[in-house]
Amino acid sequence: MKPVLLGLLALGLSGIAHGGSYLQVRVCDDNGCRETLPVTQHPSCPTPEDCPITFFSIVHPFGYSGVENQVEVSVCLLNDSLELEPSLIEAIQTWNDLVATTENCANCVLIEETPPTAGSFDSYSAQLHELGHCGMGLDHINRTWDEQWDGFFEETSYTRSADVAAVAGAIEVGTDGIRGTLDDFHNGIQGSAKSISWYRKIDNNPFAIDATVIDIGSFDRTLSSLPGGHSWPASANRAVGESLGVPNSQSVMYSGIAREMAYSGLTADDVNMVRMGMTGADRDSGTSDDYSLQVVYDGPCDGDAHLSTISVGLEDLSGPGGPGPIAECRLVRLDYSFSVPSPALTQHYSIVRALGKLPLEVRLNSAYPWDFGPQLFADGFESGDLSRW
Amino acid sequence: MRAVLAVATMLLTLGPPPEVHSPASGGPDFESASFEVSTDPTDLVLFLTERGGLGNATAFQFLLYGDGRLVRERVDNSNLKVLQSEEVALTFDETSEILDHAVRSGLAEFTSERVREVVGHDQAISVDSSTVVLEMNFIRYERPGLSERAPYTATARLTNPRIYARAYPELTEASALRRLQELVANHFIASSRSESERGNR
């Protein structure tokens, strides 16, 4: 494998803009599926219940243990999936560049809207999304919700939150009728809902691009820092963007990708979540514990997938239950842990894996049609949308 | 409501039983479990589906009724609206094979606690994957070491059982769930094909 360095992130530079969440986990049991916190496997913790797990944790990439100033995430490509290489390299480059943009989502379709039934899926967009999970430790910006009252939580465009009971009226969409905006309110049976999405204190705008430094001084997840008149953190879905005067824009960590939909880069929200992690244990930018992050392309795995942090490839994920997801990030034999058993890091987790186990795996479902080409025009031109030309 | 007693040891048609966590391995004796299910045509005996997953617009859900009717519905994953519905009639043996497999492999008692026991936690080990949901309705269910439950509704959910099966082979229910999906789907396809052939004669 020949490592290829695709970019180097500047150390703790000023950030750009905000709203999103770090990897949480979904637990399914007799009561349905719900979001919950990662469980520590740190040896100093006898059982998860013994450890002070906080909702305000940050999940760092694999390789961060609390002391590094430079973290490297390596990616190899399965040898039978080399058609993914151009778009994979492009996706890696995008995460390395960490440039916030607007109008980054062509043919954007929300979960609540009807997706096209014809056309192909964009491999760059899918890999960008999955690398956001497996590589960056980010979770979806939006949350699941039991809309059908059947005990199963479906994806929605509401901002990600936790501990919202499946009862009528537990999530209110607000007067604007748009899911994910600043006037939503997540309640619960007894007001137990928790905000787990980070937002910019000054304006709660996940699309804003400016010179604001991203750290604990400017970013928060508690409702107490919301601007006056705001009831919940806004998230960067397309409809929220439209309401804020930023059309065709959406976080790549939104949990929906449709045929013919194509991202051309990151939003401020995506960038800021990674930058927030890079502030290190003290969550303060510009201090000695900040770290930089490099994603390195190792080339074809050549049977040595375990040597890289993440292996990427195509695989048939369809089965008797249907066609399956278009892509997935597997944290096989992975867990989260306190990076270092120090008080400062009890609010931090990093992606880890047991020694000798499989690497993180990103798989795109070969049962679906894919567009493998790099996006020359990510504004809809390639799919026939000439409205912006 | 008429009922049929299905003793797990008398209807095995799958050859050797699947390797499950068994008394030999210190686990519950699912092989000796016995159960009754309704034979009423309106009673849902088994429900099996796979929901969610990034960009997964549609999914199949299978509904097995007491009289052996197996309904396959294609649903919109975002709102669960039924887009297409087809129905076949399974034989008693086919129905028993499905239920036997589920019971013998421990799926009637599969909970997140069992995942925690094997994996160390009950979190999903993959993101953006779909979740398999199994529900079974028994008139009566019991096994050695477990007092009779009557009636008893069992619900099992597991995200990405294929990967659990690969990463944690000792979580035998993961591969059993996958096998159950294949079994139900294959019976549906085979019955559908034979009904179609009969119709063409």
Side-chain angles (χ1 to χ4, degrees):
Chain A
M1 286 189 293
K2 185 191 289 183
V4 181
L5 181 63
L6 290 170
L8 178 66
L9 299 185
L11 180 68
L13 292 178
S14 64
I16 309 190
H18 324 251
S21 69
Y22 293 99
L23 267 178
Q24 304 277 306
V25 291
R26 184 179 296 183
V27 170
C28 295
D29 59 20
D30 296 350
N31 298 315
C33 296
R34 62 189 184 280
E35 309 301 328
T36 187
L37 287 165
V39 175
T40 179
Q41 297 293 296
H42 195 279
S44 69
C45 179
T47 71
E49 290 72 25
D50 294 326
C51 299
I53 294 172
T54 169
F55 275 93
F56 306 104
S57 59
I58 291 173
V59 177
H60 300 274
F62 176 83
Y64 177 70
S65 68
V67 296
E68 292 77 9
N69 289 122
Q70 191 169 344
V71 175
E72 181 180 295
V73 173
S74 57
V75 179
C76 73
L77 180 62
L78 297 184
N79 288 57
D80 62 359
S81 305
L82 294 182
E83 56 267 57
L84 287 175
E85 191 170 57
S87 52
L88 172 59
I89 289 174
E90 192 182 6
I92 289 172
Q93 185 68 57
T94 300
W95 279 116
N96 277 331
D97 290 346
L98 272 191
V99 173
T101 63
T102 55
E103 300 202 48
N104 71 321
C105 189
N107 303 318
C108 237
V109 178
L110 296 178
I111 287 159
E112 292 83 357
E113 298 170 338
T114 304
T117 54
S120 56
F121 290 96
D122 178 49
S123 64
Y124 164 77
S125 300
Q127 289 173 102
L128 197 61
H129 180 92
E130 300 305 335
L131 287 176
H133 290 312
C134 275
M136 304 294 158
L138 302 182
D139 211 323
H140 297 144
I141 63 164
N142 50 311
R143 67 157 297 141
T144 56
W145 179 238
D146 188 3
E147 299 225 80
Q148 310 299 325
W149 299 106
D150 64 345
F152 193 86
F153 282 49
E154 291 83 24
E155 299 288 340
T156 72
S157 292
Y158 288 114
T159 297
R160 195 169 192 84
S161 63
D163 281 10
V164 180
V167 295
I171 300 182
E172 297 165 11
V173 71
T175 54
D176 64 7
I178 301 171
R179 295 179 171 191
T181 54
L182 57 88
D183 71 345
D184 292 2
F185 189 69
H186 301 206
N187 200 336
I189 292 178
Q190 295 172 321
S192 59
K194 294 179 176 63
S195 165
I196 59 171
S197 290
W198 292 79
Y199 64 91
R200 191 158 86 157
K201 294 177 184 178
I202 191 170
D203 57 10
N204 188 21
N205 182 348
F207 293 102
I209 300 176
D210 57 29
T212 301
V213 173
I214 302 303
D215 65 12
I216 199 62
S218 58
F219 231 21
D220 199 2
R221 294 210 294 188
T222 68
L223 299 181
S224 60
S225 298
L226 283 169
H230 294 210
S231 55
W232 206 262
S235 50
N237 73 49
R238 192 210 69 215
V240 174
E242 288 166 355
S243 75
L244 294 170
V246 189
N248 304 311
S249 304
Q250 184 163 278
S251 163
V252 301
M253 299 315 296
Y254 181 79
S255 71
I257 294 181
R259 293 170 194 266
E260 300 301 310
M261 178 175 157
Y263 289 118
S264 58
L266 307 175
T267 61
D269 185 61
D270 305 311
V271 171
N272 293 334
M273 294 301 291
V274 176
R275 287 198 183 280
M276 183 69 197
M278 291 162 62
T279 61
D282 64 3
R283 300 188 290 178
D284 196 5
S285 178
T287 57
S288 61
D289 72 342
D290 293 0
Y291 67 85
S292 62
L293 177 60
Q294 300 171 10
V295 185
V296 175
Y297 178 51
D298 283 340
C301 298
D302 290 335
D304 290 328
H306 63 283
L307 298 178
S308 301
T309 311
I310 304 169
S311 74
V312 175
L314 288 161
E315 184 178 322
D316 187 353
L317 305 180
S318 66
I326 66 158
E328 62 190 23
C329 150
R330 300 169 182 164
L331 298 101
V332 179
R333 294 196 184 244
L334 285 177
D335 214 318
Y336 308 85
S337 74
F338 292 151
S339 306
V340 170
S342 70
L345 287 166
T346 55
Q347 294 184 334
H348 295 258
Y349 300 88
S350 55
I351 298 174
V352 296
R353 67 183 192 218
L355 286 174
K357 302 305 178 190
L358 297 168
L360 293 158
E361 295 178 334
V362 166
R363 293 292 181 271
L364 273 60
N365 190 344
S366 61
Y368 288 104
W370 288 99
D371 179 355
F372 296 115
Q375 288 292 306
L376 299 177
F377 305 99
D379 50 14
F381 179 81
E382 290 184 335
S383 58
D385 177 6
L386 305 181
S387 61
R388 292 170 60 200
W389 284 71
Chain B
M1 193 162 61
R2 290 182 301 130
V4 60
L5 176 65
V7 179
T9 51
M10 62 183 254
L11 290 168
L12 190 66
T13 56
L14 296 174
E19 289 193 15
V20 297
H21 63 122
S22 60
S25 59
D29 182 9
F30 297 123
E31 287 289 322
S32 302
S34 67
F35 59 92
E36 294 175 47
V37 295
S38 170
T39 56
D40 189 305
T42 63
D43 285 343
L44 183 64
V45 171
L46 180 144
F47 173 80
L48 181 64
T49 190
E50 188 169 338
R51 288 188 189 160
L54 184 72
N56 189 11
T58 62
F60 287 125
Q61 58 186 29
F62 293 92
L63 300 91
L64 179 61
Y65 290 92
D67 60 351
R69 268 186 314 124
L70 179 61
V71 178
R72 184 177 75 171
E73 296 177 339
R74 192 166 66 87
V75 298
D76 184 323
N77 235 336
S78 64
N79 56 22
L80 301 187
K81 184 179 171 187
V82 177
L83 305 172
Q84 185 184 16
S85 181
E86 304 164 271
E87 181 180 313
V88 297
L90 300 189
T91 64
F92 178 83
D93 285 350
E94 290 167 337
T95 303
S96 298
E97 183 185 5
I98 290 170
L99 296 174
D100 256 13
H101 169 75
V103 169
R104 284 174 177 279
S105 54
L107 293 175
E109 297 181 45
F110 183 66
T111 64
S112 57
E113 198 54 43
R114 167 70 179 147
V115 179
R116 181 186 288 269
E117 179 187 312
V118 174
V119 180
H121 56 75
D122 56 2
Q123 305 160 5
I125 59 171
S126 60
V127 186
D128 291 337
S129 307
S130 49
T131 298
V132 178
V133 181
L134 166 68
E135 290 178 11
M136 287 184 288
N137 295 307
F138 300 98
I139 292 174
R140 184 187 63 80
Y141 175 88
E142 66 179 321
R143 64 164 171 79
L146 184 77
S147 56
E148 180 183 280
R149 296 176 178 182
Y152 174 53
T153 296
T155 304
R157 298 167 192 259
L158 191 64
T159 298
N160 208 340
R162 171 163 45 183
I163 297 306
Y164 271 102
R166 195 177 107 199
Y168 299 95
E170 61 273 41
L171 187 69
T172 52
E173 293 92 336
S175 53
L177 199 52
R178 187 80 180 161
R179 169 70 184 135
L180 180 69
Q181 287 185 288
E182 292 170 355
L183 198 56
V184 172
N186 289 344
H187 276 315
F188 181 88
I189 292 167
S191 297
S192 182
R193 195 171 291 149
S194 59
E195 285 181 12
S196 175
E197 286 170 0
R198 278 198 299 273
N200 290 336
R201 282 181 199 147

mmCIF file of all heavy atoms in Angstrom, chain B residues 146-162:
data_model
loop_
_atom_site.group_PDB
_atom_site.id
_atom_site.type_symbol
_atom_site.label_atom_id
_atom_site.label_comp_id
_atom_site.label_asym_id
_atom_site.label_seq_id
_atom_site.Cartn_x
_atom_site.Cartn_y
_atom_site.Cartn_z
ATOM 1 N N LEU B 146 -38.066 -22.128 32.167
ATOM 2 C CA LEU B 146 -38.878 -20.918 31.982
ATOM 3 C C LEU B 146 -40.337 -21.300 32.169
ATOM 4 O O LEU B 146 -40.851 -22.169 31.455
ATOM 5 C CB LEU B 146 -38.684 -20.334 30.585
ATOM 6 C CG LEU B 146 -39.419 -19.015 30.322
ATOM 7 C CD1 LEU B 146 -38.681 -17.860 30.981
ATOM 8 C CD2 LEU B 146 -39.545 -18.774 28.822
ATOM 9 N N SER B 147 -40.997 -20.682 33.094
ATOM 10 C CA SER B 147 -42.390 -21.025 33.339
ATOM 11 C C SER B 147 -43.258 -20.603 32.160
ATOM 12 O O SER B 147 -42.898 -19.718 31.388
ATOM 13 C CB SER B 147 -42.879 -20.357 34.625
ATOM 14 O OG SER B 147 -42.675 -18.978 34.546
ATOM 15 N N GLU B 148 -44.378 -21.252 32.066
ATOM 16 C CA GLU B 148 -45.271 -21.027 30.923
ATOM 17 C C GLU B 148 -45.699 -19.574 30.819
ATOM 18 O O GLU B 148 -46.032 -18.937 31.821
ATOM 19 C CB GLU B 148 -46.503 -21.914 31.066
ATOM 20 C CG GLU B 148 -47.489 -21.754 29.921
ATOM 21 C CD GLU B 148 -48.737 -22.594 30.124
ATOM 22 O OE1 GLU B 148 -48.670 -23.803 29.841
ATOM 23 O OE2 GLU B 148 -49.751 -22.051 30.582
ATOM 24 N N ARG B 149 -45.698 -19.086 29.605
ATOM 25 C CA ARG B 149 -46.211 -17.739 29.333
ATOM 26 C C ARG B 149 -47.399 -17.887 28.398
ATOM 27 O O ARG B 149 -47.262 -18.446 27.309
ATOM 28 C CB ARG B 149 -45.138 -16.874 28.676
ATOM 29 C CG ARG B 149 -43.933 -16.637 29.576
ATOM 30 C CD ARG B 149 -42.858 -15.875 28.854
ATOM 31 N NE ARG B 149 -41.721 -15.614 29.727
ATOM 32 C CZ ARG B 149 -40.646 -14.926 29.364
ATOM 33 N NH1 ARG B 149 -40.565 -14.446 28.140
ATOM 34 N NH2 ARG B 149 -39.659 -14.721 30.206
ATOM 35 N N ALA B 150 -48.531 -17.384 28.822
ATOM 36 C CA ALA B 150 -49.723 -17.547 28.004
ATOM 37 C C ALA B 150 -50.698 -16.381 28.265
ATOM 38 O O ALA B 150 -51.124 -16.225 29.402
ATOM 39 C CB ALA B 150 -50.416 -18.873 28.338
ATOM 40 N N PRO B 151 -50.963 -15.587 27.266
ATOM 41 C CA PRO B 151 -50.344 -15.575 25.943
ATOM 42 C C PRO B 151 -48.971 -14.914 26.026
ATOM 43 O O PRO B 151 -48.605 -14.370 27.062
ATOM 44 C CB PRO B 151 -51.320 -14.724 25.118
ATOM 45 C CG PRO B 151 -51.899 -13.762 26.108
ATOM 46 C CD PRO B 151 -51.994 -14.530 27.403
ATOM 47 N N TYR B 152 -48.267 -14.963 24.925
ATOM 48 C CA TYR B 152 -46.909 -14.430 24.932
ATOM 49 C C TYR B 152 -46.596 -13.801 23.576
ATOM 50 O O TYR B 152 -46.780 -14.434 22.534
ATOM 51 C CB TYR B 152 -45.922 -15.561 25.235
ATOM 52 C CG TYR B 152 -44.472 -15.183 25.125
ATOM 53 C CD1 TYR B 152 -43.951 -14.090 25.807
ATOM 54 C CD2 TYR B 152 -43.597 -15.938 24.335
ATOM 55 C CE1 TYR B 152 -42.604 -13.759 25.708
ATOM 56 C CE2 TYR B 152 -42.248 -15.617 24.244
ATOM 57 C CZ TYR B 152 -41.762 -14.522 24.931
ATOM 58 O OH TYR B 152 -40.439 -14.196 24.838
ATOM 59 N N THR B 153 -46.197 -12.553 23.594
ATOM 60 C CA THR B 153 -45.756 -11.873 22.378
ATOM 61 C C THR B 153 -44.259 -11.628 22.479
ATOM 62 O O THR B 153 -43.786 -11.039 23.447
ATOM 63 C CB THR B 153 -46.490 -10.531 22.194
ATOM 64 O OG1 THR B 153 -47.888 -10.793 22.005
ATOM 65 C CG2 THR B 153 -45.958 -9.781 20.975
ATOM 66 N N ALA B 154 -43.543 -12.131 21.500
ATOM 67 C CA ALA B 154 -42.084 -11.979 21.485
ATOM 68 C C ALA B 154 -41.697 -10.951 20.426
ATOM 69 O O ALA B 154 -42.233 -10.960 19.314
ATOM 70 C CB ALA B 154 -41.424 -13.312 21.182
ATOM 71 N N THR B 155 -40.799 -10.081 20.783
ATOM 72 C CA THR B 155 -40.303 -9.078 19.843
ATOM 73 C C THR B 155 -38.775 -9.115 19.844
ATOM 74 O O THR B 155 -38.149 -9.070 20.902
ATOM 75 C CB THR B 155 -40.757 -7.660 20.239
ATOM 76 O OG1 THR B 155 -42.188 -7.655 20.345
ATOM 77 C CG2 THR B 155 -40.338 -6.642 19.189
ATOM 78 N N ALA B 156 -38.209 -9.226 18.673
ATOM 79 C CA ALA B 156 -36.742 -9.214 18.549
ATOM 80 C C ALA B 156 -36.355 -8.161 17.522
ATOM 81 O O ALA B 156 -36.984 -8.046 16.471
ATOM 82 C CB ALA B 156 -36.227 -10.590 18.116
ATOM 83 N N ARG B 157 -35.350 -7.376 17.846
ATOM 84 C CA ARG B 157 -34.871 -6.353 16.912
ATOM 85 C C ARG B 157 -33.355 -6.400 16.910
ATOM 86 O O ARG B 157 -32.726 -6.477 17.959
ATOM 87 C CB ARG B 157 -35.311 -4.952 17.350
ATOM 88 C CG ARG B 157 -36.805 -4.742 17.385
ATOM 89 C CD ARG B 157 -37.116 -3.450 18.131
ATOM 90 N NE ARG B 157 -38.518 -3.343 18.434
ATOM 91 C CZ ARG B 157 -39.380 -2.618 17.754
ATOM 92 N NH1 ARG B 157 -38.974 -1.918 16.728
ATOM 93 N NH2 ARG B 157 -40.649 -2.572 18.093
ATOM 94 N N LEU B 158 -32.799 -6.307 15.725
ATOM 95 C CA LEU B 158 -31.343 -6.265 15.649
ATOM 96 C C LEU B 158 -30.939 -5.498 14.392
ATOM 97 O O LEU B 158 -31.421 -5.791 13.292
ATOM 98 C CB LEU B 158 -30.752 -7.674 15.620
ATOM 99 C CG LEU B 158 -29.235 -7.773 15.803
ATOM 100 C CD1 LEU B 158 -28.811 -7.284 17.190
ATOM 101 C CD2 LEU B 158 -28.750 -9.204 15.597
ATOM 102 N N THR B 159 -30.088 -4.529 14.582
ATOM 103 C CA THR B 159 -29.585 -3.770 13.446
ATOM 104 C C THR B 159 -28.430 -4.535 12.813
ATOM 105 O O THR B 159 -27.508 -4.956 13.504
ATOM 106 C CB THR B 159 -29.106 -2.377 13.910
ATOM 107 O OG1 THR B 159 -30.223 -1.668 14.446
ATOM 108 C CG2 THR B 159 -28.530 -1.578 12.752
ATOM 109 N N ASN B 160 -28.537 -4.705 11.509
ATOM 110 C CA ASN B 160 -27.485 -5.342 10.723
ATOM 111 C C ASN B 160 -27.067 -6.713 11.282
ATOM 112 O O ASN B 160 -25.902 -6.916 11.656
ATOM 113 C CB ASN B 160 -26.254 -4.430 10.643
ATOM 114 C CG ASN B 160 -25.460 -4.673 9.372
ATOM 115 O OD1 ASN B 160 -25.590 -5.712 8.746
ATOM 116 N ND2 ASN B 160 -24.643 -3.708 8.994
ATOM 117 N N PRO B 161 -27.987 -7.672 11.344
ATOM 118 C CA PRO B 161 -27.638 -8.992 11.887
ATOM 119 C C PRO B 161 -26.496 -9.669 11.147
ATOM 120 O O PRO B 161 -25.749 -10.444 11.726
ATOM 121 C CB PRO B 161 -28.941 -9.793 11.770
ATOM 122 C CG PRO B 161 -29.803 -9.024 10.843
ATOM 123 C CD PRO B 161 -29.389 -7.599 10.933
ATOM 124 N N ARG B 162 -26.344 -9.363 9.863
ATOM 125 C CA ARG B 162 -25.272 -9.985 9.087
ATOM 126 C C ARG B 162 -23.899 -9.651 9.689
ATOM 127 O O ARG B 162 -23.027 -10.499 9.793
ATOM 128 C CB ARG B 162 -25.344 -9.517 7.632
ATOM 129 C CG ARG B 162 -24.136 -9.950 6.812
ATOM 130 C CD ARG B 162 -24.358 -9.870 5.337
ATOM 131 N NE ARG B 162 -25.002 -8.647 4.886
ATOM 132 C CZ ARG B 162 -25.327 -8.408 3.636
ATOM 133 N NH1 ARG B 162 -25.098 -9.315 2.721
ATOM 134 N NH2 ARG B 162 -25.892 -7.269 3.274
#
